[in-house]
Amino acid sequence: MSDSFKIGLAGLGTVGVGVIKMLQQNADVIAARAGRSIEIISVIAGIKAKDRGVDISAYDWANSLEDMAQDQRLDAVIEMVGGSDGEIKSFVETALDNGKHIVTANKALLAHHGYDLAQRAENNNVTIAYEAAVAGGIPIIKSLREGLAGNKINSVYGILNGTCNYILTEMRETGRDFADVLDEAQEKGYAEADPTFDVDGIDAAHKLVLLGALAFGVKPDFDALNIEGIRHITSKDIRYADDLGYRIKLIGMARLSQDGNAMQSIAPCLVSTKSAIAGVEGVFNAVQTNGDFVDQTMMEGRGAGEGPTASSILADIIDLARGNNRLIFGVPTAQLNTAQWQGAEVLSCQCYIHVKAEDKSGVIADITACLKEADVSIDSFIQRGHEDDGSASVVIVTHEARFSDIQKAVKIVEGLACVLDKPTLLRIEDI
Ligand code: HSE
C-alpha cells in the first residue's frame, strides 16, 4: 500500500479549507497513521478565482462535479457542498458507481437517502464515511460503530446543534429573549442568515437519524421523527426551569425498548442541573450513549467549524487510506431492520408546564381541574407574581405520567377562557 491515497475535494468553504490546512500542516502524522501519503488531486467549488487563505495551485480544478465523480485517478471524493437532492445526490451516486469512497459532512443527504446510498456503496464495494456529519469534531460514529460494537445500545441522547445550545445558554446567562439572542448569533456567524434548519430542530434531527440507525442497526427514517425546535422557549421558561433545578436543552433522543420498539425525538427538554449534559454550554455538542455492558458514556466537543469538522473528515480519510472499508450503518444494509417507530407520546415522564393566565380568583382551580380530568397528578405548583399586563405565570411540574395524557391535559388548559397564551409543555428527561 505504498501508493498515495488520492482524493478530490468538492466544496471549498470553511470545511474544505480546513481539510486542506490540516492535510498540509499535519502531513507527516497523517501519512504515518494512514500508512501512505494523502494526495489531493483535484478540487472544485462555485467560484475558482477567490483568495481562500490556502494555496490550491498544485491541485487540478475539476471541470464539473460529474467529471470529478468519474475521475479514474481518485480513490475517494470528499463531499463538502451540502444539499440533499438534485445535483449533489447524483454526484455522490456517480462517484459511488465509479468505485469511489465518499467522505461527507452532509447529514441531510444521508438522513433522507442514507439507506439507498448505503446499498449503492455496498454494491460497488466502497463506503460512505460520515464522521463529520454528526456532532462535528466528536468521534461519535467511530465510537458507536467500533468502540462500542460489542454492546446492545439502549439509548442515545445528544445536544446535536451548537446554534441552539448557544442561544439557550445566552438566554439563560443574560436573561434576553430568543429573537434578541438569535440576532446576535447571526451577527457573530454562529447562526445562518436563514436559521430555520438550526432553530427548528431539523439539523439536529438529521444527525439523530444517523445515530439511531447506527446505534440500533435500523434503516434511517427521517419521517419517523418528532421534531420540535426552540423558537417558543422564553427567557421566563429558562428562569423558572433554573429555579426548579433544571436547564433547558434541545435534546435529541433515540431509544430502543426491549420489545423492539424504537423512539426518536428532537425537543427542548428540562435536564437536571446536576446531569453532565446540563453542563454542556455554548456552541458545544455532546452525545451520551447507554450500552448494556459499557453502561453510560458521554463525549463533548465542538459541533461545527473549520477545525473540528476537518478533524472528523481527516479521521475518515485516514481510515479509508488504511484500507478499512467500514459498514456504513454498522451491519450490511440487508441486515438493517425496519424499526417500529413510536412517537414521544408513548413515553412516561415528568413534565414542565408554563401557563400564562389572568390573575383572578378561580384560575388555579380551573387549571388543576384540567389536569385532574386527564388523570395527571401534580408534583409541584408555583404561581409567579404579577406581570406588567396583569397576567400571572403558573408553573407546574407533573408527576410521571404518560406523555400523551399530559399533552391532553395541556390541550384542555389551553381552551380555558382565563388562559392567555398557548401553554409551554416540556418533558423533563432524566439523563
Ligand atoms: N449548524 C450546525 C450547528 C452545525 O449549529 O450545530 C452543522 O450541522
Side-chain angles (χ1 to χ4, degrees):
M1 221 187 266
S2 56
D3 281 355
S4 62
F5 187 74
K6 298 181 176 59
I7 61 176
L9 303 188
L12 293 175
T14 309
V15 178
V17 167
V19 169
I20 294 173
K21 277 189 198 163
M22 199 170 178
L23 268 169
Q24 292 177 347
Q25 207 168 307
N26 287 0
D28 50 350
V29 75
I30 289 169
R33 289 177 180 151
R36 49 181 166 157
S37 61
I38 310 291
E39 192 182 351
I40 301 175
I41 300 293
S42 64
V43 297
I44 187 167
I47 303 167
K48 186 173 179 183
K50 183 175 172 183
D51 181 8
R52 297 180 164 89
V54 284
D55 181 9
I56 57 169
S57 58
Y59 318 137
D60 291 347
W61 188 270
N63 289 323
S64 64
L65 287 172
E66 185 73 15
D67 274 7
M68 181 180 277
Q70 295 186 22
D71 187 338
Q72 293 308 311
R73 297 171 297 172
L74 304 180
D75 297 301
V77 295
I78 320 304
E79 185 277 304
M80 297 170 291
V81 181
S84 59
D85 288 287
E87 192 184 21
I88 208 65
K89 179 163 170 271
S90 75
F91 166 58
V92 167
E93 288 169 345
T94 308
L96 293 172
D97 290 345
N98 278 269
K100 288 164 212 341
H101 300 291
I102 299 289
V103 177
T104 184
N106 191 336
K107 61 234 64 164
L109 177 73
L110 295 181
H112 290 288
H113 306 293
Y115 181 67
D116 292 343
L117 291 173
Q119 278 188 318
R120 200 166 192 129
E122 274 180 15
N123 292 340
N124 287 294
N125 261 322
V126 288
T127 194
I128 303 171
Y130 57 99
E131 187 65 75
V134 182
I138 302 176
I140 186 60
I141 302 300
K142 289 191 197 317
S143 173
L144 276 170
R145 190 175 44 205
E146 293 144 43
L148 301 173
N151 288 268
K152 288 183 181 155
I153 304 293
N154 310 313
S155 63
V156 181
Y157 288 90
I159 292 178
L160 299 171
N161 186 272
T163 306
C164 287
N165 208 43
Y166 170 82
I167 291 172
L168 292 171
T169 302
E170 279 294 301
M171 286 172 72
R172 187 179 61 78
E173 286 179 350
T174 64
R176 285 183 296 153
D177 267 318
F178 171 83
D180 191 17
V181 177
L182 174 61
D183 281 349
E184 187 195 72
Q186 286 171 317
E187 274 162 32
K188 286 187 173 174
Y190 293 154
E192 305 282 344
D194 177 359
T196 307
F197 262 46
D198 289 321
V199 301
D200 291 336
I202 300 160
D203 173 78
H206 288 148
K207 297 166 185 168
L208 184 72
V209 164
L210 301 178
L211 288 176
L214 183 57
F216 308 143
V218 298
K219 293 178 189 171
D221 189 351
F222 183 77
D223 296 329
L225 185 53
N226 290 135
I227 308 175
E228 183 184 326
I230 63 163
R231 284 186 203 263
H232 61 302
I233 303 297
T234 63
S235 54
K236 274 189 196 147
D237 289 318
I238 291 179
R239 199 171 71 237
Y240 299 153
D242 205 39
D243 291 349
L244 291 161
Y246 297 101
R247 294 269 154 85
I248 299 179
K249 297 284 181 190
L250 183 70
I251 298 288
M253 177 175 117
R255 282 191 194 172
L256 188 66
S257 62
Q258 286 185 341
D259 57 12
N261 286 321
M263 204 231 89
Q264 47 185 7
S265 117
I266 296 283
C269 297
L270 274 66
V271 294
S272 165
T273 49
K274 296 191 186 109
S275 64
I277 213 151
V280 178
E281 297 279 49
V283 295
F284 278 72
N285 283 196
V287 185
Q288 185 172 306
T289 57
N290 202 291
D292 57 351
F293 276 71
V294 70
D295 201 4
Q296 190 172 300
T297 65
M298 189 176 113
M299 281 195 281
E300 178 182 355
R302 291 187 182 276
E306 179 182 298
T309 314
S311 166
S312 286
I313 286 181
L314 258 300
D316 280 339
I317 295 173
I318 291 169
D319 212 18
L320 292 172
R322 271 273 171 209
N324 295 326
N325 194 356
R326 306 282 185 199
L327 290 164
I328 296 158
F329 294 113
V331 296
T333 48
Q335 288 174 30
L336 287 171
N337 294 317
T338 301
Q340 299 306 309
W341 292 109
Q342 298 182 317
E345 60 279 358
V346 302
L347 292 172
S348 198
C349 55
Q350 283 193 278
C351 283
Y352 159 99
I353 303 167
H354 172 194
V355 185
K356 182 178 176 184
E358 289 175 39
D359 194 3
K360 64 176 194 189
S361 66
V363 165
I364 303 289
D366 288 348
I367 293 174
T368 53
C370 298
L371 274 81
K372 181 170 179 235
E373 191 181 330
D375 204 18
V376 173
S377 164
I378 294 169
D379 181 56
S380 61
F381 192 107
I382 306 162
Q383 181 177 330
R384 297 284 175 183
H386 309 276
E387 306 295 344
D388 294 343
D389 58 4
S391 68
S393 276
V394 176
V395 177
I396 300 163
V397 173
T398 70
H399 275 300
E400 190 168 317
R402 202 174 161 87
F403 189 44
S404 57
D405 288 339
I406 303 175
Q407 287 174 312
K408 186 175 145 200
V410 171
K411 220 44 228 149
I412 306 172
V413 170
E414 192 179 340
L416 291 173
C418 61
V419 169
L420 302 172
D421 259 344
K422 188 177 161 69
T424 305
L425 168 62
L426 303 173
R427 299 195 315 263
I428 299 177
E429 282 298 334
D430 184 17
I431 303 177

